[in-house]
Amino acid sequence: MGELKNCPSCGNLFVQAVRAVCPECHRAEEERFQKVYTHVRKSKHRQSTILEVTEATGVSEEDIFRYIREGRLNLAQLPNFSYPCEGCGEPIRERRLCRSCTSRISSGLEAEEKQKQWEARQIKDTRATYRAWE
């Protein structure tokens, strides 16, 4: 059974079962998606940028970015489309983060793991010294 909630888009009360928005907002969202999808399906518009599609359809860039992230728009057919990296905002065409942000995060995780290993050795060495005096 669904939960009674307020729609985050319009504020109306609705029973949330599958979707996070009310049926009216979902319908409006689907209409916006169809405008974009219909526009970029035409071969003459496949070379368009997101800004050009936004101007032609009236659908916001953020909505188009969301369609890409959700996998509803396939960038293989749209060579001039990109969306911002969630870390730095750099234009990317796949994943959620650009290479430099991925590398930065990986380096940070590796450094933290080395720090934990070092601290674990220090604790182990301290215990060994303490036991030697017993």
Side-chain angles (χ1 to χ4, degrees):
M1 187 71 188
E3 188 177 336
L4 196 60
K5 289 202 168 194
N6 286 68
C7 176
S9 295
C10 68
N12 289 337
L13 203 56
F14 76 107
V15 176
Q16 181 182 6
V18 177
R19 297 180 188 98
V21 295
C22 70
E24 292 81 19
C25 289
H26 176 71
R27 196 172 307 108
E29 174 68 23
E30 285 303 307
E31 287 173 8
R32 288 192 301 272
F33 172 73
Q34 285 303 319
K35 278 184 186 177
V36 172
Y37 184 72
T38 303
H39 183 77
V40 298
R41 255 181 76 193
K42 296 176 183 170
S43 60
K44 66 180 180 180
H45 297 298
R46 289 207 179 140
Q47 298 296 320
S48 299
T49 63
I50 289 180
L51 183 59
E52 292 168 342
V53 173
T54 296
E55 291 171 356
T57 62
V59 177
S60 73
E61 284 184 342
E62 288 304 315
D63 284 343
I64 296 172
F65 295 152
R66 190 173 68 255
Y67 303 149
I68 295 168
R69 285 190 181 109
E70 290 172 352
R72 297 179 78 183
L73 289 177
N74 184 358
L75 294 188
Q77 302 292 324
L78 305 166
N80 294 324
F81 269 35
S82 62
Y83 55 96
C85 165
E86 291 181 15
C88 66
E90 186 74 24
I92 56 176
R93 290 187 46 84
E94 56 185 22
R95 300 187 197 99
R96 296 175 74 169
L97 298 172
C98 66
R99 287 186 180 138
S100 62
C101 287
T102 301
S103 176
R104 183 175 40 83
I105 290 171
S106 294
S107 298
L109 290 172
E110 288 172 8
E112 187 163 331
E113 183 61 31
K114 287 179 183 177
Q115 178 69 23
K116 285 181 182 180
Q117 290 173 354
W118 182 84
E119 289 172 359
R121 280 194 305 265
Q122 293 300 322
I123 292 171
K124 186 177 180 181
D125 291 345
T126 304
R127 287 183 186 158
T129 305
Y130 178 73
R131 287 189 184 131
W133 288 97
E134 289 180 352

